[in-house]
Amino acid sequence: MSRDDVTLAVHDHGGQGVPLLLLHGAGRTLADWAAVAPLLARHHRVLALDLRGHGLSPDGTWNIGEVLGDIEAVLAEHGMPGALPVGHSLGGMLAVQYALDHPQVTPGAVNLDGYGWGRPDQYVGLDPAYVGERLTEVRELAAKAAGRVLPAGGLKDLLAQQRAMSGQLGIPYELLEEGVRRSVRERPDGQLEVRPGREHALEMLARIESLDVFALFRRMDRPLLLGRALRPVPKVPGLDWFDELMAAYVKGLARDLAELAEERPEVTVAEIDGTHAMLLENPRAVADAILGFTGGPRGTAGAGGATVS
């Protein structure tokens, strides 16, 4: 569908029932939902969207207001303005912000592991100044990798990395391959660029850093599902301190989410057996958590919560 010269890519998974709009994370695509969406479509009307600058959607200035406008336009185009936004990572942050900005029509929101890097005081047992230094390094690495250009043969190497990841995390290789091929495009000079392009990727990273997600959570007055990954992220080569950092953050995040759920009855926290790549690793557990929240039938891995209607 089109909005102000930005033609957005949408995958309609069909289905009937409470409508859902699925939003992917930063640097990802709607292909991440390929295994989860069919499970949801048994009980819901389901759309998945490539955010601007991602997948098959074209580039556009990357600010939160524009992206939320894209979401609103997609839902209007498909006749489902009251859809429940369901997002992973960055998509989860956007889902919450969208629900806050559309209180009259949006019944709630689902945020699956969309917490960013958090605050230094959330890293339990570590000195906040030390955490701040390490997070600066992490952000610098993310900025350096933004909008990378692949050399000759680079796609083959990238797909080889995905095959190795498939074996490491138990993710079907075809799911990873589909996402990579959807994310890479040929530039006018013939080189391959991993989307989003560098300019818009840096804009996006800056917008993510500007979000105070727990402040957003506390503003929600409708049902809110917050999913948290139970497995640690894989090791990062060359960053010996990364595992310790993430272990400390997991403790602080679990603590703060539990406190939030205790304070606010509209908040449900679901612990999902997977790493941050949960959509690809364990689609059944992700779908069960969402269906448990919406009131749809689910398997044994679901989390209890408020019914969205």
Side-chain angles (χ1 to χ4, degrees), residues 36 44 98 107 124 127-128 146 155 190 193 195-196 201 270 280-281 284 297:
V36 178
H44 292 280
Y98 186 83
V124 174
D127 177 66
L155 179 58
E193 178 181 71
R195 309 194 69 219
L280 301 169
E281 291 172 326
R284 178 73 264 178

Side-chain angles (χ1 to χ4, degrees), residues 113-133:
D113 223 36
Y115 308 111
W117 294 109
R119 308 180 312 273
D121 65 278
Q122 288 182 294
Y123 291 71
V124 174
L126 297 182
D127 177 66
Y130 167 81
V131 173
E133 293 173 0

Side-chain angles (χ1 to χ4, degrees), residues 35-187:
V36 178
L39 302 175
L40 299 176
R42 296 173 185 173
H43 313 287
H44 292 280
R45 174 85 164 85
V46 179
L47 293 181
L49 167 70
D50 275 340
L51 298 172
R52 60 171 54 201
H54 293 72
L56 303 185
S57 291
D59 293 325
T61 302
W62 225 99
N63 64 66
I64 300 297
E66 290 284 350
V67 175
L68 296 180
D70 293 342
I71 294 172
E72 182 178 43
V74 165
L75 294 179
E77 177 76 12
H78 287 82
M80 42 192 285
L84 176 73
V86 177
H88 171 248
S89 194
L90 169 61
M93 302 178 197
L94 294 171
V96 177
Q97 184 68 75
Y98 186 83
L100 288 171
D101 287 0
H102 299 77
Q104 302 305 316
V105 295
T106 306
V110 176
N111 176 341
L112 301 172
D113 223 36
Y115 308 111
W117 294 109
R119 308 180 312 273
D121 65 278
Q122 288 182 294
Y123 291 71
V124 174
L126 297 182
D127 177 66
Y130 167 81
V131 173
E133 293 173 0
R134 292 309 192 193
L135 290 182
T136 296
E137 291 184 57
V138 169
R139 291 176 178 120
E140 288 174 349
L141 288 172
K144 183 177 180 181
R148 57 189 168 134
V149 176
L150 301 178
L155 179 58
K156 181 179 178 181
D157 293 339
L158 186 56
L159 290 174
Q161 294 172 11
Q162 299 302 300
R163 190 170 291 281
M165 184 183 299
S166 171
Q168 181 183 12
L169 298 179
I171 299 171
Y173 171 70
E174 58 270 18
L175 293 180
L176 294 171
E177 181 183 13
E178 181 183 359
V180 167
R181 292 190 182 278
R182 196 175 181 92
S183 293
V184 174
R185 73 173 177 186
E186 186 173 358
R187 303 196 318 178

Side-chain angles (χ1 to χ4, degrees), residues 235-246:
K235 294 181 180 295
V236 177
L239 299 184
D240 295 338
W241 43 264
F242 189 75
D243 287 355
E244 178 191 33
L245 195 73
M246 289 300 98

Side-chain angles (χ1 to χ4, degrees), residues 215-230:
L216 297 180
F217 301 158
R218 289 190 169 88
R219 286 175 52 202
M220 275 290 291
D221 58 359
R222 278 148 291 142
L224 173 62
L225 176 64
L226 299 174
R228 183 176 74 84
L230 287 179

